[in-house]
Structure formats: structure tokens, C-alpha cells
């Protein structure tokens, strides 16, 4: 049974892991290489090698209610979408409230994690660290890797012939902090992911012209739903997830296209994604406007560079380019892990439940937060940590090594059938499905039939409302007495920061009438029955 646990990193995953260790009676020791907590969300003017940080203007893509830790809601006065400084302050509040700082060793670098000579019997690890030039080692019963996966820059210079002779400046988005120094320049941004879209929109305010090059296109969504509520609170619901499970993949794809096209016609803006097995998606409230007014010009992939120009795959040429920004993401790296773990930890597809390397004789090492989720990552890493710590203390049991390896192999085969490359470092997963999967392992997944019978008001909000992390504190290990009230007031907390000018005649949000709810449930059950009756068994199997 694990007692002493080494936690590597004091960002979101690390802080959640410390708390979960304490909740489960374990002894955590957290090693953080920098001089403060916060990880990715701690802004620094000068970037540090081996650590990714946000740029100055970053706002979260997920709302506060969907991003909250399950037993520590954001203050109701916080805006729904958070500047990085506000999120960092929340993490400091979380660490202070649960007294986590006492377990963190700052300015301490983990140099190496090696199996103890008696690993096959004890499952122990030897952790080698360095602080102020002094190297030390200590033995731990278990390891939680919380160092993040945004450390190594992906700078694919070989994919862009001529870039080495380009006379302008080129840099990775990791180096970008704000648009200073780019005023009046002609800037080319490579990559239309979240960072690429944000940087293109921000730089276009003062640059002479910004070109946004995308290989495959992307859907661009606003953070705001049609009714003005945070988009993720409207769409991340169990009701909608249930319908999605019943429909064929082709039908879902068509429905997504209709929904994603409501804001603007992506084909007209040059952003329509190419047909693929995955759905590229970013949140950006400014980019369409920047394109519409000509400040940002969308281009195809770059074929090659000359001294001062970029030649694109469609044959067009943009001359006098001053700066190229590679918004090409990051590659995963856990250099401190011993060699035997490198191949298994290269991709989360090779990990059991995206967490455990399945080939270890003793399951005493876990990778926390190594997921790309369509939704907020914070509740996911917390739930992962809750499960992992219960595995470490013996409360939860894992399958045998052969069973875990079989499941991993079967999942890789399934990805290949769906033409999703398993060599990618992170498979994109749906928020609710993965949360329920891990919650089932712990025994904290809410029972909807039981809720509808014993607490209909709560059951309706859990099923038809946003799937917030509080749902996983209603029952089972770690049950929180305030979970019910927190769920029933989540819309109020979303509304609170908007009520800075209260007008008496403004309509208030009212609960859906019982008759409407009864009709929705009846319609849903009837639709489900028709799908199962008339659908061919081929796609249900």
C-alpha cells in the first residue's frame, strides 16, 4: 500500500494531486522546478526553457463553472471566462484553503525517476532531485507525473523548405508575449489552433497585415451561446450527450456542421475544415471580425519560403513578410523518466485510461493531465487524481497487466479502424464520456434513475443542465455535502458577474415549467425507442 507519493509539478494537476493524496491518507511531496506554483498559468515576461507559459492577453476557453474543482467553486463575482491572472489567483486560493503549500518544494528540479532495485516486490521508485546545485535522492512508494505536456516546442522547420534562408524573423508561439515589436509589420502565423487564432487576431490590431496559414482549416466558435450564456454550459449536458450516443457518426457530423455554421459561413471565410476523422475546433470571438475587415487574411499551407516571401500550396505568393510565428504546438516529453517508460509515455493512447503505463509490474506510477479533452481540463485532472490516489492506497483495484495491455491494444485497433492516427501524442476525447469512465472506476458517477426517483429537482438539473464537476461529489468516496446546492445555484453564479447594471424590467431566468420538462423527457424516450426499433443493428453493435 503506497504511503509516500512524489508529485512532479505544482501546476493545476500537481495541486489537485496533493489535495487528493491528503484526502486518501497518503504523504505527498511535490517538486516544482520554478519559484512559484501555477504552472502554465503563471505569466512571465521572459519565457523559461522547458516550461510553457501563457501570453499576456490569454483568456480561458472554458467557463468558470465548467472549470471549477469539484469541491471548491470559483467566487461568484469572478467573470465567466477568466484572464490568466484571475485563474492563477483561484489556484492560490485553492492551495491556501486546503493548506497545500506546506508539501511543495520550490526551485527543485526532478532530474531522474528510476525503479528501485526491489521494484518488482515493492513498486518503489528512487527520485533524484537538484536544488541550489545540491543533488539528493529519496525513495517513494508511488509517483504522480504532473509536469504537463507543453514543455517541448514543436518547430517543424524541415516541413517548410527555404525557412533557413528567410531573412526575416521567425519564432515559436512559446516566445510570443504581446504584439510589441510587430507594429507595422507583415506577419505570417502558421497554424490555426487556439494560439494561432488568438495571436493572429491580437497582432492584427497594430500590424500592417496578418496572414493566417492553415493546413486543414478549423471551426471557429464564440464563447457565447445564442442566448448569451457561456457556450460550454449550454452544450456540455448529459441530455445532449445521450442523444449523440444514439446517433450514427455520419448524422452527428452533419449536425455539428449545422451547429458550427450558425455564427458565420466558414467556407466564405476560408476556414472550412477538410474532411477528416476528427473535428478541428477553436474558441475565438475576434477572428471572424478580423477576417471580415481584412486585418487577417486566411491562406493555405506554406509550400516554401524565399528570402522575403512565402509561397503557398495554392500557388499564391505573399511578398515582404517580416515575421513568421510558428503556432505549431508542442511535443510531449518526460525526460526525467527512466528509459523503459519513454515509449509507453510517448502517447496517451498507450496508457491505460490515459493514465497508467500498463506494462509495469507494479502500478505505482501515473501520468496526470496527459489528455486532450473537448472541454475543461481542470475537472478531468482532479478526477484522475482522485482515482489514482485510491489505487495507490488500495481502495481501488486495477485489472491485471495482461488485461490492461489487451484493452490498450484493442483501443489502438479501434482508432485505426476510424482512421485516427494512434501515433499522435494525445487522442481527443469527449468531456462527459471520459469523466463518467473515470468516475465509474471510483464509484462516484451519479445515478440518474435514482436521482429522478429520490430528488427530481436535482435529477433534472444533472441531466438537462451543464455537466459540472460538482456532480461527481454527490455520492461515493469524497462525497461533498454542498454538492447539491452548488449544482442548483450554478446558473446564478454564472449570472452574478453580469448583474452590474440591474434594470427592474429585465426578465429573470426562470426554471423550465414542469410540463415542458415532462414533454422533453417523453419525447426523448419516444425518440430513443424509435431509434432502437428502426435502426439497423450494424451501427448499434
Amino acid at each position: 500500500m503506497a504511503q509516500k507519493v512524489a508529485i512532479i509539478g505544482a501546476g493545476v494537476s500537481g495541486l489537485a494531486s496533493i489535495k487528493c493524496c491528503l484526502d486518501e491518507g497518503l504523504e505527498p511531496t511535490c517538486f516544482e522546478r520554478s519559484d512559484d506554483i501555477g504552472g502554465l498559468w503563471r505569466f512571465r515576461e521572459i519565457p523559461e526553457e522547458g516550461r510553457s507559459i501563457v501570453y499576456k492577453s490569454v483568456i480561458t476557453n472554458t467557463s468558470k463553472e465548467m472549470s471549477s474543482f469539484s469541491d471548491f467553486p470559483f467566487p461568484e463575482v469572478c467573470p465567466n471566462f477568466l484572464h490568466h491572472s484571475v485563474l492563477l489567483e483561484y489556484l492560490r486560493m485553492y492551495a491556501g484553503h486546503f493548506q497545500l503549500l506546506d508539501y511543495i518544494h520550490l526551485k527543485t528540479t526532478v532530474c531522474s525517476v528510476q525503479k528501485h532495485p526491489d521494484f518488482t516486490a515493492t513498486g518503489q521508485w528512487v527520485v533524484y532531485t537538484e536544488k541550489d546545485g545540491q543533488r539528493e535522492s529519496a525513495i517513494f512508494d508511488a509517483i504522480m507525473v504532473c509536469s504537463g505536456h507543453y514543455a517541448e516546442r514543436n518547430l517543424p522547420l524541415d516541413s517548410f523548405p527555404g525557412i533557413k534562408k528567410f531573412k526575416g524573423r521567425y519564432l515559436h508561439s512559446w516566445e510570443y508575449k504581446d504584439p510589441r515589436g510587430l507594429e507595422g509589420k507583415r506577419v505570417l502565423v502558421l497554424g490555426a489552433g487556439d494560439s494561432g487564432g488568438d495571436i493572429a487576431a491580437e497582432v492584427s490590431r497594430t500590424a500592417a497585415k496578418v496572414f493566417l496559414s492553415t493546413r486543414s482549416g478549423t471551426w471557429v466558435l464564440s464563447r457565447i451561446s445564442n442566448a448569451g450564456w457561456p457556450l460550454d454550459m449550454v452544450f456540455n449536458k448529459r441530455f445532449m450527450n445521450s442523444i449523440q450516443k444514439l446517433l450514427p457518426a455520419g448524422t452527428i457530423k452533419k449536425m455539428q456542421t449545422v451547429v458550427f455554421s450558425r455564427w458565420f459561413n466558414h467556407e466564405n471565410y476560408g476556414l472550412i475544415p477538410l474532411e477528416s476523422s476528427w473535428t478541428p475546433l477553436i474558441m475565438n470571438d475576434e477572428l471572424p471580425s478580423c477576417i471580415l475587415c481584412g486585418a487577417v487574411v486566411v491562406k493555405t499551407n506554406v509550400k516554401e519560403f524565399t528570402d522575403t516571401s512565402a509561397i503557398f500550396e495554392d500557388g499564391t505568393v505573399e511578398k515582404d513578410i517580416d515575421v513568421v510565428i510558428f503556432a505549431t504546438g508542442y511535443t510531449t516529453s518526460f525526460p526525467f523518466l527512466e528509459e523503459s517508460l519513454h515509449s509507453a509515455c510517448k502517447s496517451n493512447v498507450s496508457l491505460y485510461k490515459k493514465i497508467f503505463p500498463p506494462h509495469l509490474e507494479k502500478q505505482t506510477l501515473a501520468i496526470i493531465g496527459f489528455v486532450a479533452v473537448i472541454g475543461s481540463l481542470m475537472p478531468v485532472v482532479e478526477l484522475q487524481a482522485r482515482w489514482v490516489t485510491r489505487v495507490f492506497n488500495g481502495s481501488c483495484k486495477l485489472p491485471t497487466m495482461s488485461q490492461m495491455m489487451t484493452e490498450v491494444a484493442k483501443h489502438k485497433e479501434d482508432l485505426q479502424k476510424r482512421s485516427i492516427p494512434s501515433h499522435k501524442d494525445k487522442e481527443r476525447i469527449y468531456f462527459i464520456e471520459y469523466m463518467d469512465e473515470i468516475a465509474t472506476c471510483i464509484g462516484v458517477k451519479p445515478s440518474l434513475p435514482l436521482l429522478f426517483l429520490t430528488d427530481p429537482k436535482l435529477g433534472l438539473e444533472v441531466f438537462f443542465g451543464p455537466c459540472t464537476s460538482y456532480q461527481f461529489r454527490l455520492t461515493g468516496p469524497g462525497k461533498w455535502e454542498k454538492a447539491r446546492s452548488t449544482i442548483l445555484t450554478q446558473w446564478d453564479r454564472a449570472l452574478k458577474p453580469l448583474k452590474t447594471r440591474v434594470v427592474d424590467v429585465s426578465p429573470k431566468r426562470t426554471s423550465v415549467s414542469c410540463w415542458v420538462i415532462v414533454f422533453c423527457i417523453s419525447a426523448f424516450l419516444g425518440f430513443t425507442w424509435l431509434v432502437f426499433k428502426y435502426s439497423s443493428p450494424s451501427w448499434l453493435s
Side-chain angles (χ1 to χ4, degrees), residues 189-436:
V189 179
L190 301 178
D194 285 309
S195 296
D198 284 349
I199 293 172
E202 182 172 68
V203 171
S204 71
R205 297 171 191 161
T206 55
K209 181 71 74 174
V210 174
F211 304 96
L212 178 62
S213 171
T214 173
R215 186 190 303 272
S216 57
T218 185
W219 295 110
V220 181
L221 301 185
S222 171
R223 294 175 175 85
I224 309 168
S225 70
N226 290 339
W229 296 98
L231 187 72
D232 54 355
M233 290 186 72
V234 173
F235 280 98
N236 266 338
K237 298 181 177 181
R238 293 186 178 276
F239 170 67
M240 301 186 73
N241 188 63
S242 299
I243 292 178
Q244 182 172 302
K245 285 182 178 179
L246 294 172
L247 298 175
T251 303
I252 295 172
K253 199 81 171 178
K254 292 177 182 177
M255 291 174 63
Q256 287 177 338
T257 300
V258 172
V259 172
F260 296 163
S261 299
R262 283 180 180 172
W263 189 19
F264 66 93
N265 187 315
H266 283 65
E267 184 176 359
N268 290 346
Y269 282 61
L271 290 169
I272 191 76
L274 300 177
E275 285 294 328
S276 67
S277 54
W278 64 287
T279 306
L281 179 69
I282 67 172
M283 309 293 288
N284 196 303
D285 297 291
E286 297 182 62
L287 185 59
S289 177
C290 294
I291 297 171
L292 193 63
C293 67
V296 174
V297 177
V298 179
K299 306 290 293 186
T300 60
N301 192 46
V302 173
K303 181 181 179 181
E304 64 177 307
F305 286 94
T306 66
D307 291 355
T308 59
S309 304
I311 303 172
F312 297 88
E313 290 183 347
D314 60 1
T316 59
V317 179
E318 294 297 341
K319 299 179 179 180
D320 300 323
I321 300 296
D322 298 299
V323 181
V324 177
I325 301 176
F326 284 80
T328 45
Y330 298 81
T331 56
T332 302
S333 176
F334 303 108
F336 47 81
L337 294 180
E338 68 169 45
E339 189 66 32
S340 65
L341 290 165
H342 284 183
S343 59
C345 298
K346 207 171 270 187
S347 166
N348 71 9
V349 177
S350 300
L351 303 177
Y352 179 68
K353 305 294 186 186
K354 314 289 187 291
I355 300 172
F356 292 101
H359 68 285
L360 291 176
E361 302 93 330
K362 297 286 185 179
Q363 287 300 328
T364 54
L365 183 141
I367 312 291
I368 306 297
F370 189 21
V371 289
V373 64
I374 304 174
S376 177
L377 185 62
M378 288 174 61
V380 173
V381 301
E382 182 197 29
L383 201 60
Q384 286 182 329
R386 288 174 66 186
W387 181 38
V388 166
T389 50
R390 289 185 63 78
V391 169
F392 288 167
N393 72 7
S395 300
C396 293
K397 302 295 182 183
L398 292 177
T400 64
M401 181 195 300
S402 61
Q403 289 173 327
M404 289 190 288
M405 294 185 75
T406 298
E407 181 173 323
V408 168
K410 185 178 179 181
H411 182 61
K412 286 184 178 180
E413 184 179 338
D414 179 57
L415 292 179
Q416 290 178 346
K417 288 180 180 178
R418 290 188 284 145
S419 301
I420 300 175
S422 60
H423 66 272
K424 295 287 187 182
D425 64 348
K426 295 178 295 297
E427 172 203 358
R428 293 182 57 172
I429 52 179
Y430 287 103
F431 178 82
I432 296 177
E433 291 180 7
Y434 185 71
M435 291 286 281
D436 279 350

Side-chain angles (χ1 to χ4, degrees), residues 65-66 68-71 236-239 383 386 431-432 435-436 439 443-448 451 458-476 478-480 482-484 486-488 490:
E65 290 302 310
M66 298 301 297
S68 173
F69 288 126
S70 60
D71 56 356
N236 266 338
K237 298 181 177 181
R238 293 186 178 276
F239 170 67
L383 201 60
R386 288 174 66 186
F431 178 82
I432 296 177
M435 291 286 281
D436 279 350
V444 296
K445 179 184 175 183
S447 171
L448 285 170
L451 283 177
L458 178 61
L460 289 169
E461 186 62 26
V462 168
F463 187 60
F464 289 104
C467 183
T468 47
S469 60
Y470 323 123
Q471 295 187 8
F472 304 98
R473 291 284 183 180
L474 289 169
T475 186
K479 181 179 178 180
W480 183 42
K482 295 182 180 180
R484 182 184 187 275
T486 305
I487 291 171
L488 294 178
Q490 55 197 3

